[in-house]
Short mmCIF file of all heavy atoms in Angstrom, two decimals:
data_model
loop_
_atom_site.label_atom_id
_atom_site.label_comp_id
_atom_site.label_asym_id
_atom_site.label_seq_id
_atom_site.Cartn_x
_atom_site.Cartn_y
_atom_site.Cartn_z
N MET A 1 -4.29 0.50 4.59
CA MET A 1 -3.32 1.37 4.02
C MET A 1 -3.58 2.79 4.53
O MET A 1 -4.71 3.28 4.43
CB MET A 1 -3.39 1.38 2.50
CG MET A 1 -2.41 2.31 1.79
SD MET A 1 -2.47 2.32 0.02
CE MET A 1 -2.29 0.66 -0.43
N THR A 2 -2.61 3.48 5.09
CA THR A 2 -2.85 4.82 5.57
C THR A 2 -2.75 5.80 4.42
O THR A 2 -2.23 5.48 3.38
CB THR A 2 -1.79 5.15 6.60
OG1 THR A 2 -0.53 5.27 6.02
CG2 THR A 2 -1.85 4.21 7.79
N ASN A 3 -3.23 7.04 4.68
CA ASN A 3 -3.22 8.03 3.60
C ASN A 3 -1.80 8.36 3.12
O ASN A 3 -1.60 8.54 2.02
CB ASN A 3 -3.92 9.29 4.09
CG ASN A 3 -4.08 10.32 3.01
OD1 ASN A 3 -4.34 9.94 1.82
ND2 ASN A 3 -3.98 11.56 3.35
N SER A 4 -0.87 8.38 4.09
CA SER A 4 0.51 8.67 3.69
C SER A 4 1.12 7.59 2.81
O SER A 4 1.91 7.93 1.95
CB SER A 4 1.45 8.86 4.93
OG SER A 4 1.51 7.67 5.68
N GLN A 5 0.69 6.38 2.92
CA GLN A 5 1.19 5.34 2.10
C GLN A 5 0.50 5.35 0.70
O GLN A 5 1.15 5.18 -0.28
CB GLN A 5 0.91 3.92 2.72
CG GLN A 5 1.70 3.65 3.88
CD GLN A 5 1.33 2.33 4.59
OE1 GLN A 5 0.13 2.02 4.62
NE2 GLN A 5 2.33 1.66 5.14
N SER A 6 -0.75 5.70 0.63
CA SER A 6 -1.53 5.74 -0.61
C SER A 6 -1.12 6.93 -1.49
O SER A 6 -1.19 6.88 -2.70
CB SER A 6 -3.00 5.68 -0.41
OG SER A 6 -3.40 6.81 0.25
N SER A 7 -0.66 7.97 -0.89
CA SER A 7 -0.33 9.20 -1.63
C SER A 7 1.19 9.37 -1.80
O SER A 7 1.60 10.46 -2.17
CB SER A 7 -0.95 10.43 -1.02
OG SER A 7 -0.48 10.62 0.24
N ARG A 8 1.92 8.40 -1.41
CA ARG A 8 3.43 8.51 -1.51
C ARG A 8 3.86 8.59 -2.97
O ARG A 8 3.40 7.84 -3.84
CB ARG A 8 4.03 7.27 -0.85
CG ARG A 8 5.51 7.20 -0.94
CD ARG A 8 6.04 5.98 -0.19
NE ARG A 8 5.44 4.73 -0.70
CZ ARG A 8 5.99 3.92 -1.61
NH1 ARG A 8 7.12 4.26 -2.16
NH2 ARG A 8 5.41 2.83 -2.01
N MET A 9 4.69 9.49 -3.21
CA MET A 9 5.28 9.61 -4.59
C MET A 9 6.43 8.65 -4.74
O MET A 9 7.30 8.54 -3.95
CB MET A 9 5.86 11.06 -4.76
CG MET A 9 4.84 12.13 -4.73
SD MET A 9 3.84 12.32 -6.23
CE MET A 9 5.06 12.54 -7.47
N GLU A 10 6.45 7.92 -5.91
CA GLU A 10 7.55 7.06 -6.22
C GLU A 10 8.79 7.83 -6.50
O GLU A 10 9.91 7.41 -6.29
CB GLU A 10 7.15 6.11 -7.33
CG GLU A 10 6.06 5.07 -7.05
CD GLU A 10 6.52 4.10 -5.94
OE1 GLU A 10 7.68 3.69 -5.90
OE2 GLU A 10 5.64 3.73 -5.06
N VAL A 11 8.59 8.98 -7.12
CA VAL A 11 9.68 9.89 -7.48
C VAL A 11 9.40 11.23 -6.79
O VAL A 11 8.72 12.09 -7.42
CB VAL A 11 9.89 10.04 -8.97
CG1 VAL A 11 11.06 10.92 -9.34
CG2 VAL A 11 10.04 8.69 -9.68
N PRO A 12 9.84 11.45 -5.58
CA PRO A 12 9.46 12.67 -4.82
C PRO A 12 9.84 13.93 -5.54
O PRO A 12 9.17 14.95 -5.39
CB PRO A 12 10.25 12.51 -3.52
CG PRO A 12 10.47 11.06 -3.38
CD PRO A 12 10.59 10.49 -4.77
N GLN A 13 10.85 13.89 -6.38
CA GLN A 13 11.30 15.04 -7.07
C GLN A 13 10.22 15.54 -8.09
O GLN A 13 10.29 16.67 -8.66
CB GLN A 13 12.58 14.82 -7.83
CG GLN A 13 13.79 14.46 -6.94
CD GLN A 13 13.83 13.00 -6.62
OE1 GLN A 13 12.93 12.22 -6.79
NE2 GLN A 13 14.99 12.59 -6.06
N ALA A 14 9.30 14.69 -8.46
CA ALA A 14 8.26 15.06 -9.45
C ALA A 14 7.05 15.64 -8.80
O ALA A 14 6.05 16.00 -9.48
CB ALA A 14 7.85 13.75 -10.20
N LYS A 15 7.00 15.81 -7.41
CA LYS A 15 5.80 16.31 -6.74
C LYS A 15 5.34 17.63 -7.28
O LYS A 15 4.13 17.78 -7.60
CB LYS A 15 6.08 16.44 -5.27
CG LYS A 15 4.80 16.90 -4.53
CD LYS A 15 4.97 16.72 -3.03
CE LYS A 15 3.72 17.15 -2.32
NZ LYS A 15 2.47 17.44 -2.93
N GLU A 16 6.23 18.62 -7.48
CA GLU A 16 5.81 19.91 -7.97
C GLU A 16 5.20 19.79 -9.38
O GLU A 16 4.11 20.43 -9.64
CB GLU A 16 7.01 20.85 -8.00
CG GLU A 16 6.63 22.27 -8.32
CD GLU A 16 7.84 23.21 -8.19
OE1 GLU A 16 8.67 23.00 -7.36
OE2 GLU A 16 7.85 24.19 -9.02
N ALA A 17 5.78 19.04 -10.27
CA ALA A 17 5.27 18.93 -11.64
C ALA A 17 3.90 18.14 -11.56
O ALA A 17 2.95 18.52 -12.35
CB ALA A 17 6.22 18.14 -12.42
N MET A 18 3.73 17.15 -10.72
CA MET A 18 2.47 16.45 -10.62
C MET A 18 1.38 17.30 -10.00
O MET A 18 0.20 17.27 -10.47
CB MET A 18 2.64 15.17 -9.71
CG MET A 18 3.42 14.12 -10.40
SD MET A 18 2.64 13.47 -11.88
CE MET A 18 1.20 12.62 -11.26
N ASP A 19 1.72 18.20 -9.05
CA ASP A 19 0.74 19.11 -8.53
C ASP A 19 0.27 20.11 -9.57
O ASP A 19 -0.92 20.43 -9.71
CB ASP A 19 1.29 19.87 -7.33
CG ASP A 19 1.45 19.04 -6.10
OD1 ASP A 19 0.84 18.00 -6.04
OD2 ASP A 19 2.22 19.50 -5.19
N LYS A 20 1.20 20.61 -10.38
CA LYS A 20 0.92 21.51 -11.50
C LYS A 20 -0.03 20.82 -12.53
O LYS A 20 -1.05 21.31 -13.01
CB LYS A 20 2.10 22.00 -12.18
CG LYS A 20 1.85 23.00 -13.31
CD LYS A 20 3.16 23.49 -13.94
CE LYS A 20 2.80 24.41 -15.08
NZ LYS A 20 3.81 24.44 -16.10
N PHE A 21 0.31 19.54 -12.87
CA PHE A 21 -0.44 18.77 -13.77
C PHE A 21 -1.95 18.55 -13.28
O PHE A 21 -2.84 18.69 -14.00
CB PHE A 21 0.24 17.45 -14.01
CG PHE A 21 -0.50 16.42 -14.90
CD1 PHE A 21 -1.02 16.86 -16.08
CD2 PHE A 21 -0.51 15.12 -14.54
CE1 PHE A 21 -1.59 15.94 -16.97
CE2 PHE A 21 -1.15 14.19 -15.41
CZ PHE A 21 -1.68 14.57 -16.64
N LYS A 22 -1.99 18.29 -11.95
CA LYS A 22 -3.31 18.06 -11.36
C LYS A 22 -4.12 19.32 -11.40
O LYS A 22 -5.33 19.28 -11.79
CB LYS A 22 -3.15 17.65 -9.88
CG LYS A 22 -4.44 17.47 -9.11
CD LYS A 22 -4.27 16.85 -7.77
CE LYS A 22 -3.27 17.54 -6.91
NZ LYS A 22 -3.15 17.03 -5.56
N MET A 23 -3.54 20.47 -11.17
CA MET A 23 -4.25 21.71 -11.31
C MET A 23 -4.73 22.00 -12.66
O MET A 23 -5.81 22.53 -12.92
CB MET A 23 -3.45 22.91 -10.74
CG MET A 23 -3.13 22.72 -9.21
SD MET A 23 -4.62 22.49 -8.16
CE MET A 23 -5.43 24.09 -8.36
N GLU A 24 -3.88 21.71 -13.69
CA GLU A 24 -4.24 21.96 -15.09
C GLU A 24 -5.40 21.04 -15.50
O GLU A 24 -6.36 21.46 -16.16
CB GLU A 24 -3.02 21.62 -16.00
CG GLU A 24 -1.91 22.66 -15.88
CD GLU A 24 -0.63 22.26 -16.65
OE1 GLU A 24 -0.63 21.15 -17.24
OE2 GLU A 24 0.36 23.00 -16.59
N VAL A 25 -5.37 19.79 -15.08
CA VAL A 25 -6.45 18.81 -15.43
C VAL A 25 -7.76 19.27 -14.71
O VAL A 25 -8.83 19.36 -15.38
CB VAL A 25 -6.10 17.42 -15.05
CG1 VAL A 25 -7.31 16.46 -15.12
CG2 VAL A 25 -5.01 16.89 -15.91
N ALA A 26 -7.68 19.70 -13.51
CA ALA A 26 -8.85 20.18 -12.78
C ALA A 26 -9.45 21.39 -13.44
O ALA A 26 -10.70 21.47 -13.64
CB ALA A 26 -8.53 20.47 -11.34
N SER A 27 -8.62 22.23 -13.88
CA SER A 27 -9.08 23.43 -14.67
C SER A 27 -9.80 23.10 -15.91
O SER A 27 -10.82 23.63 -16.18
CB SER A 27 -7.95 24.40 -14.88
OG SER A 27 -8.28 25.52 -15.61
N GLU A 28 -9.14 22.19 -16.68
CA GLU A 28 -9.72 21.73 -17.93
C GLU A 28 -11.10 21.13 -17.72
O GLU A 28 -12.01 21.24 -18.55
CB GLU A 28 -8.85 20.64 -18.63
CG GLU A 28 -7.58 21.24 -19.17
CD GLU A 28 -6.61 20.14 -19.64
OE1 GLU A 28 -7.01 18.93 -19.70
OE2 GLU A 28 -5.42 20.47 -19.95
N LEU A 29 -11.30 20.41 -16.60
CA LEU A 29 -12.60 19.72 -16.30
C LEU A 29 -13.56 20.59 -15.62
O LEU A 29 -14.69 20.21 -15.34
CB LEU A 29 -12.32 18.48 -15.48
CG LEU A 29 -11.48 17.42 -16.15
CD1 LEU A 29 -11.18 16.29 -15.15
CD2 LEU A 29 -12.16 16.87 -17.37
N GLY A 30 -13.14 21.80 -15.21
CA GLY A 30 -13.98 22.74 -14.46
C GLY A 30 -14.22 22.38 -12.99
O GLY A 30 -15.18 22.77 -12.41
N VAL A 31 -13.28 21.57 -12.49
CA VAL A 31 -13.36 21.27 -11.05
C VAL A 31 -12.59 22.30 -10.19
O VAL A 31 -11.40 22.60 -10.49
CB VAL A 31 -12.72 19.84 -10.84
CG1 VAL A 31 -12.66 19.50 -9.34
CG2 VAL A 31 -13.48 18.80 -11.58
N PRO A 32 -13.30 22.92 -9.24
CA PRO A 32 -12.72 24.03 -8.48
C PRO A 32 -11.71 23.50 -7.45
O PRO A 32 -11.92 23.74 -6.23
CB PRO A 32 -13.89 24.71 -7.86
CG PRO A 32 -14.88 23.63 -7.67
CD PRO A 32 -14.69 22.73 -8.90
N LEU A 33 -10.63 22.97 -7.87
CA LEU A 33 -9.60 22.41 -6.94
C LEU A 33 -8.70 23.52 -6.47
O LEU A 33 -8.30 24.36 -7.21
CB LEU A 33 -8.79 21.36 -7.70
CG LEU A 33 -7.85 20.45 -6.94
CD1 LEU A 33 -8.64 19.58 -6.02
CD2 LEU A 33 -6.96 19.64 -7.85
N LYS A 34 -8.49 23.50 -5.13
CA LYS A 34 -7.59 24.50 -4.53
C LYS A 34 -6.20 23.83 -4.31
O LYS A 34 -6.12 22.79 -3.70
CB LYS A 34 -8.16 24.97 -3.21
CG LYS A 34 -9.47 25.70 -3.32
CD LYS A 34 -9.98 26.09 -1.97
CE LYS A 34 -11.40 26.57 -2.12
NZ LYS A 34 -12.31 25.82 -1.27
N ASN A 35 -5.19 24.52 -4.81
CA ASN A 35 -3.83 23.99 -4.70
C ASN A 35 -3.33 24.10 -3.24
O ASN A 35 -3.16 25.28 -2.81
CB ASN A 35 -2.92 24.66 -5.65
CG ASN A 35 -1.57 23.94 -5.82
OD1 ASN A 35 -1.38 22.86 -5.39
ND2 ASN A 35 -0.62 24.64 -6.32
N GLY A 36 -3.11 23.04 -2.54
CA GLY A 36 -2.63 23.11 -1.19
C GLY A 36 -3.66 23.48 -0.17
O GLY A 36 -3.40 23.54 1.00
N GLY A 37 -4.90 23.78 -0.62
CA GLY A 37 -5.94 24.16 0.27
C GLY A 37 -6.88 23.02 0.60
O GLY A 37 -6.69 21.93 0.14
N TYR A 38 -7.91 23.36 1.38
CA TYR A 38 -8.92 22.36 1.75
C TYR A 38 -9.81 22.12 0.58
O TYR A 38 -10.45 23.02 -0.02
CB TYR A 38 -9.73 22.87 2.94
CG TYR A 38 -10.82 21.96 3.33
CD1 TYR A 38 -10.57 20.74 3.97
CD2 TYR A 38 -12.11 22.29 3.07
CE1 TYR A 38 -11.57 19.88 4.33
CE2 TYR A 38 -13.20 21.37 3.48
CZ TYR A 38 -12.88 20.21 4.11
OH TYR A 38 -13.88 19.38 4.47
N ASN A 39 -9.92 20.83 0.13
CA ASN A 39 -10.86 20.43 -0.96
C ASN A 39 -11.93 19.49 -0.54
O ASN A 39 -12.43 18.73 -1.37
CB ASN A 39 -9.99 19.81 -2.11
CG ASN A 39 -9.12 20.81 -2.78
OD1 ASN A 39 -9.68 21.79 -3.39
ND2 ASN A 39 -7.85 20.77 -2.68
N GLY A 40 -12.21 19.50 0.73
CA GLY A 40 -13.24 18.58 1.31
C GLY A 40 -14.64 18.84 0.82
O GLY A 40 -15.51 17.97 0.93
N GLY A 41 -14.84 19.95 0.23
CA GLY A 41 -16.17 20.30 -0.29
C GLY A 41 -16.46 19.69 -1.70
O GLY A 41 -17.56 19.81 -2.19
N LEU A 42 -15.44 19.12 -2.30
CA LEU A 42 -15.62 18.54 -3.57
C LEU A 42 -16.25 17.13 -3.44
O LEU A 42 -15.97 16.47 -2.47
CB LEU A 42 -14.32 18.43 -4.34
CG LEU A 42 -13.56 19.70 -4.64
CD1 LEU A 42 -12.22 19.43 -5.31
CD2 LEU A 42 -14.45 20.62 -5.53
N THR A 43 -16.96 16.75 -4.49
CA THR A 43 -17.57 15.38 -4.40
C THR A 43 -16.54 14.35 -4.79
O THR A 43 -15.55 14.64 -5.40
CB THR A 43 -18.81 15.29 -5.40
OG1 THR A 43 -18.23 15.43 -6.71
CG2 THR A 43 -19.80 16.35 -5.05
N SER A 44 -16.80 13.10 -4.45
CA SER A 44 -15.90 12.03 -4.90
C SER A 44 -15.87 11.96 -6.41
O SER A 44 -14.83 11.61 -6.97
CB SER A 44 -16.32 10.70 -4.27
OG SER A 44 -17.58 10.34 -4.55
N ALA A 45 -16.97 12.26 -7.05
CA ALA A 45 -17.02 12.15 -8.56
C ALA A 45 -16.10 13.23 -9.10
O ALA A 45 -15.37 13.01 -10.08
CB ALA A 45 -18.45 12.39 -9.04
N GLN A 46 -16.10 14.45 -8.49
CA GLN A 46 -15.17 15.50 -8.98
C GLN A 46 -13.72 15.09 -8.80
O GLN A 46 -12.92 15.28 -9.74
CB GLN A 46 -15.48 16.80 -8.26
CG GLN A 46 -16.74 17.50 -8.65
CD GLN A 46 -17.02 18.67 -7.76
OE1 GLN A 46 -17.05 18.60 -6.51
NE2 GLN A 46 -17.32 19.81 -8.42
N ASN A 47 -13.43 14.63 -7.65
CA ASN A 47 -12.02 14.21 -7.36
C ASN A 47 -11.67 13.01 -8.24
O ASN A 47 -10.59 13.00 -8.79
CB ASN A 47 -11.88 13.77 -5.90
CG ASN A 47 -11.84 15.00 -5.01
OD1 ASN A 47 -11.12 15.99 -5.22
ND2 ASN A 47 -12.53 14.96 -3.87
N GLY A 48 -12.56 12.11 -8.45
CA GLY A 48 -12.24 10.91 -9.29
C GLY A 48 -12.09 11.33 -10.75
O GLY A 48 -11.28 10.78 -11.45
N SER A 49 -12.83 12.37 -11.21
CA SER A 49 -12.67 12.78 -12.58
C SER A 49 -11.27 13.36 -12.85
O SER A 49 -10.72 13.10 -13.89
CB SER A 49 -13.75 13.84 -12.93
OG SER A 49 -13.62 15.03 -12.31
N VAL A 50 -10.79 14.02 -11.86
CA VAL A 50 -9.47 14.65 -12.04
C VAL A 50 -8.38 13.53 -11.98
O VAL A 50 -7.58 13.47 -12.91
CB VAL A 50 -9.13 15.66 -10.87
CG1 VAL A 50 -7.68 16.08 -10.93
CG2 VAL A 50 -10.03 16.90 -10.95
N GLY A 51 -8.49 12.62 -11.12
CA GLY A 51 -7.51 11.55 -11.06
C GLY A 51 -7.59 10.62 -12.28
O GLY A 51 -6.60 10.25 -12.87
N GLY A 52 -8.82 10.35 -12.72
CA GLY A 52 -9.05 9.50 -13.89
C GLY A 52 -8.42 10.14 -15.14
O GLY A 52 -7.79 9.46 -15.95
N GLU A 53 -8.68 11.43 -15.28
CA GLU A 53 -8.21 12.15 -16.45
C GLU A 53 -6.67 12.23 -16.43
O GLU A 53 -6.04 12.12 -17.49
CB GLU A 53 -8.81 13.51 -16.63
CG GLU A 53 -8.37 14.26 -17.86
CD GLU A 53 -8.79 13.58 -19.14
OE1 GLU A 53 -9.75 12.80 -19.20
OE2 GLU A 53 -8.12 13.80 -20.19
N MET A 54 -6.07 12.37 -15.25
CA MET A 54 -4.65 12.37 -15.16
C MET A 54 -4.05 11.03 -15.64
O MET A 54 -3.06 11.00 -16.40
CB MET A 54 -4.19 12.65 -13.67
CG MET A 54 -4.39 14.10 -13.24
SD MET A 54 -4.05 14.31 -11.47
CE MET A 54 -2.23 14.12 -11.51
N VAL A 55 -4.64 9.93 -15.16
CA VAL A 55 -4.21 8.70 -15.58
C VAL A 55 -4.29 8.46 -17.09
O VAL A 55 -3.41 7.95 -17.72
CB VAL A 55 -4.95 7.55 -14.75
CG1 VAL A 55 -4.62 6.16 -15.31
CG2 VAL A 55 -4.54 7.63 -13.32
N ARG A 56 -5.49 8.85 -17.62
CA ARG A 56 -5.65 8.70 -19.09
C ARG A 56 -4.60 9.49 -19.89
O ARG A 56 -4.00 8.96 -20.79
CB ARG A 56 -7.04 9.20 -19.47
CG ARG A 56 -8.17 8.25 -19.29
CD ARG A 56 -9.50 8.63 -19.84
NE ARG A 56 -10.15 9.70 -19.06
CZ ARG A 56 -10.76 9.47 -17.95
NH1 ARG A 56 -10.91 8.28 -17.51
NH2 ARG A 56 -11.37 10.43 -17.25
N GLN A 57 -4.29 10.69 -19.41
CA GLN A 57 -3.28 11.51 -20.20
C GLN A 57 -1.88 10.92 -20.00
O GLN A 57 -1.10 10.88 -20.90
CB GLN A 57 -3.34 12.96 -19.68
CG GLN A 57 -4.53 13.67 -20.12
CD GLN A 57 -4.52 15.18 -19.75
OE1 GLN A 57 -3.45 15.73 -19.59
NE2 GLN A 57 -5.78 15.71 -19.69
N MET A 58 -1.57 10.37 -18.78
CA MET A 58 -0.21 9.80 -18.61
C MET A 58 -0.13 8.51 -19.38
O MET A 58 0.96 8.28 -20.02
CB MET A 58 -0.01 9.50 -17.11
CG MET A 58 0.24 10.80 -16.31
SD MET A 58 0.71 10.45 -14.59
CE MET A 58 -0.88 10.14 -13.85
N ILE A 59 -1.15 7.69 -19.51
CA ILE A 59 -1.11 6.48 -20.31
C ILE A 59 -0.94 6.85 -21.74
O ILE A 59 -0.15 6.23 -22.49
CB ILE A 59 -2.36 5.64 -20.02
CG1 ILE A 59 -2.28 5.01 -18.66
CG2 ILE A 59 -2.47 4.52 -21.11
CD1 ILE A 59 -3.60 4.36 -18.26
N LYS A 60 -1.68 7.81 -22.32
CA LYS A 60 -1.57 8.24 -23.67
C LYS A 60 -0.18 8.67 -23.96
O LYS A 60 0.44 8.34 -24.96
CB LYS A 60 -2.56 9.33 -23.95
CG LYS A 60 -2.49 9.87 -25.36
CD LYS A 60 -3.46 11.02 -25.59
CE LYS A 60 -3.29 11.47 -27.04
NZ LYS A 60 -3.82 12.81 -27.24
N CYS A 61 0.43 9.47 -23.06
CA CYS A 61 1.79 10.00 -23.26
C CYS A 61 2.77 8.83 -23.31
O CYS A 61 3.63 8.76 -24.14
CB CYS A 61 2.18 10.92 -22.16
SG CYS A 61 3.74 11.67 -22.26
N GLN A 62 2.58 7.85 -22.43
CA GLN A 62 3.52 6.70 -22.44
C GLN A 62 3.30 5.83 -23.66
O GLN A 62 4.33 5.37 -24.26
CB GLN A 62 3.31 5.85 -21.16
CG GLN A 62 4.28 4.64 -21.04
CD GLN A 62 5.71 5.06 -20.97
OE1 GLN A 62 6.00 6.17 -20.46
NE2 GLN A 62 6.54 4.28 -21.53
N GLU A 63 2.13 5.65 -24.17
CA GLU A 63 1.85 4.90 -25.36
C GLU A 63 2.51 5.58 -26.53
O GLU A 63 3.10 4.90 -27.38
CB GLU A 63 0.37 4.72 -25.52
CG GLU A 63 -0.26 3.76 -24.63
CD GLU A 63 -1.84 3.68 -24.80
OE1 GLU A 63 -2.41 4.64 -25.40
OE2 GLU A 63 -2.42 2.70 -24.28
N GLU A 64 2.39 6.84 -26.60
CA GLU A 64 2.95 7.60 -27.69
C GLU A 64 4.44 7.52 -27.66
O GLU A 64 5.19 7.34 -28.68
CB GLU A 64 2.55 9.12 -27.68
CG GLU A 64 1.13 9.27 -28.10
CD GLU A 64 0.61 10.70 -27.89
OE1 GLU A 64 1.37 11.50 -27.27
OE2 GLU A 64 -0.49 10.99 -28.35
N SER A 65 5.01 7.60 -26.46
CA SER A 65 6.55 7.39 -26.31
C SER A 65 6.95 6.01 -26.75
O SER A 65 7.96 5.91 -27.44
CB SER A 65 6.86 7.63 -24.82
OG SER A 65 8.22 7.35 -24.58
N MET A 66 6.23 5.01 -26.40
CA MET A 66 6.56 3.65 -26.72
C MET A 66 6.40 3.35 -28.25
O MET A 66 7.10 2.56 -28.85
CB MET A 66 5.66 2.63 -25.99
CG MET A 66 5.98 2.64 -24.48
SD MET A 66 4.81 1.74 -23.54
CE MET A 66 5.36 0.06 -23.84
N ALA A 67 5.46 4.16 -28.86
CA ALA A 67 5.26 3.97 -30.32
C ALA A 67 6.20 4.87 -31.10
O ALA A 67 6.21 4.88 -32.34
CB ALA A 67 3.80 4.45 -30.66
N GLY A 68 7.06 5.63 -30.39
CA GLY A 68 8.08 6.50 -31.11
C GLY A 68 7.54 7.82 -31.62
O GLY A 68 8.11 8.32 -32.53
N LYS A 69 6.42 8.26 -31.14
CA LYS A 69 5.81 9.50 -31.55
C LYS A 69 6.34 10.67 -30.77
O LYS A 69 6.62 10.62 -29.66
CB LYS A 69 4.27 9.44 -31.52
CG LYS A 69 3.68 8.49 -32.46
CD LYS A 69 2.18 8.54 -32.39
CE LYS A 69 1.58 7.60 -33.46
NZ LYS A 69 0.20 7.67 -33.50
#
């Protein structure tokens, strides 16, 4: 799988909101993520923590939505 396939957005119109969400999560976790810049200096653990927390928050939001909250 190429990088363009793995990072493809299912809903391209959501890209800006997802980028903002990613930056908010990185900030909450203390990960010095640069928006649109080079982030090659970050460890895989740092990058993984941001992605993992994003997924946790999205799942929680969906569960709450499904539960009618």
